[in-house]
Amino acid sequence: MSMPARVVVMLSGSGSNLQAILDATASRHFPAEIVGVISDKPEAYGLERARSATIPTHCVERSAYSSRAEFENGLEAAIDTLDPDYVVLAGFMRILRGDLPRRFAGRMLNIHPSLLPKHKGLDTHQRALDEGDIEHGCTVHFVTSELDAGPGIIQATLLVGDTSDADTLARRVLQLEHVIYPMALRWLAEGRLRSSGERILLDGLPLDEPVVMSADTLLG
Ligand code: GRF
């Protein structure tokens, strides 16, 4: 793979994970660069962040297409014009069901704000509180066409402790997301992490479970 690897980020919202990746790629030794940001929401603040970093942006709105399949074709066309090695979903609030997860198998990442397989889908922080979880966190995983179910790469964990409201918990988790997402992208772009058939390999060894890192380790 050519260096630096070409990365497209897809988002629907604030884009703080995009920012974390932009900050990481600004370092001279990062093996990837963001070549474009695609959003389904014209008002997404993440587009503003991309423009500030002079990254090309594209908006592909669901309402411009008459069916989900055509919308996904529109997304695919936007991605293809950027010719990426990897696609990174960073708060992209659409489920991709068509060709994209297949075409980018082993080359498309997502970050989810829970310790998968717990709390797939939305409202993960409130659900962790409601269920009295002792640990909570986030997971970077490969994307498949099944929601939040692709092979896990890294999980960051924290102790819920005294945190009793979902917004505070979300902020604590987001801080971890900003560390592990660039880390996973680095592993992928360096070729340390790759998928071989059904298996995920990290440094040549099968990765049957995600690498788990605690908040203490990650934030020091
Ligand atoms: C994050 O919580 C991420 O885990 C989830 O969507 C949110 C995106 O946040 N997939 P941001 O737009 O990166 O700030």
Side-chain angles (χ1 to χ4, degrees):
M1 189 140 309
S2 61
M3 295 281 275
R6 298 172 62 82
V7 176
V8 165
V9 175
M10 296 172 70
L11 52 76
S12 305
S14 133
S16 69
N17 278 288
L18 165 69
Q19 191 65 56
I21 295 170
L22 277 172
D23 294 347
T25 57
S27 115
R28 237 176 356 119
H29 302 295
F30 201 86
E33 63 177 344
I34 299 177
V35 295
V37 171
I38 297 173
S39 178
D40 60 323
K41 299 259 185 266
E43 70 280 10
Y45 184 63
L47 289 174
E48 203 49 51
R49 294 181 193 267
R51 285 191 282 265
S52 301
T54 64
I55 308 283
T57 62
H58 300 262
C59 195
V60 181
E61 285 185 77
R62 173 67 182 87
S63 57
Y65 298 87
S66 55
S67 68
R68 170 204 275 274
E70 284 174 35
F71 169 58
E72 286 203 17
N73 288 342
L75 288 172
E76 193 163 354
I79 293 170
D80 284 342
T81 58
L82 296 162
D83 190 26
D85 298 305
Y86 304 112
V87 176
V88 166
L89 306 185
F92 184 66
M93 300 304 286
R94 298 271 171 187
I95 299 169
L96 299 172
R97 295 210 190 279
D99 239 15
L100 276 169
R102 246 191 323 276
R103 271 191 56 202
F104 283 90
R107 296 191 297 135
M108 187 183 272
L109 301 180
N110 184 41
I111 190 156
H112 183 75
S114 79
L115 298 176
L116 291 171
K118 283 200 98 170
H119 312 311
K120 294 178 182 179
L122 300 174
D123 297 326
T124 57
H125 308 299
Q126 190 58 56
R127 285 156 62 202
L129 290 172
D130 291 347
E131 291 184 24
D133 291 359
I134 291 169
E135 276 199 323
H136 184 47
C138 49
T139 307
V140 178
H141 64 94
F142 283 112
V143 175
T144 61
S145 49
E146 211 183 321
L147 177 68
D148 300 330
I153 301 163
I154 311 181
Q155 280 189 330
T157 62
L158 53 71
L159 294 173
V160 176
D162 291 342
T163 305
S164 57
D165 78 283
D167 288 346
T168 308
L169 193 53
R171 272 195 296 278
R172 292 184 61 204
V173 171
L174 208 49
Q175 222 186 342
L176 300 177
E177 296 185 27
H178 298 161
V179 181
I180 66 169
Y181 216 0
M183 190 183 287
L185 180 59
R186 173 185 279 279
W187 292 356
L188 193 59
E190 281 174 341
R192 290 183 59 192
L193 174 71
R194 57 195 179 82
S195 77
S196 158
E198 295 293 287
R199 302 213 92 160
I200 304 302
L201 302 176
L202 180 63
D203 295 331
L205 298 173
L207 188 67
D208 295 325
E209 299 284 334
V211 176
V212 179
M213 296 184 194
S214 70
D216 284 348
T217 310
L218 290 166
L219 304 176

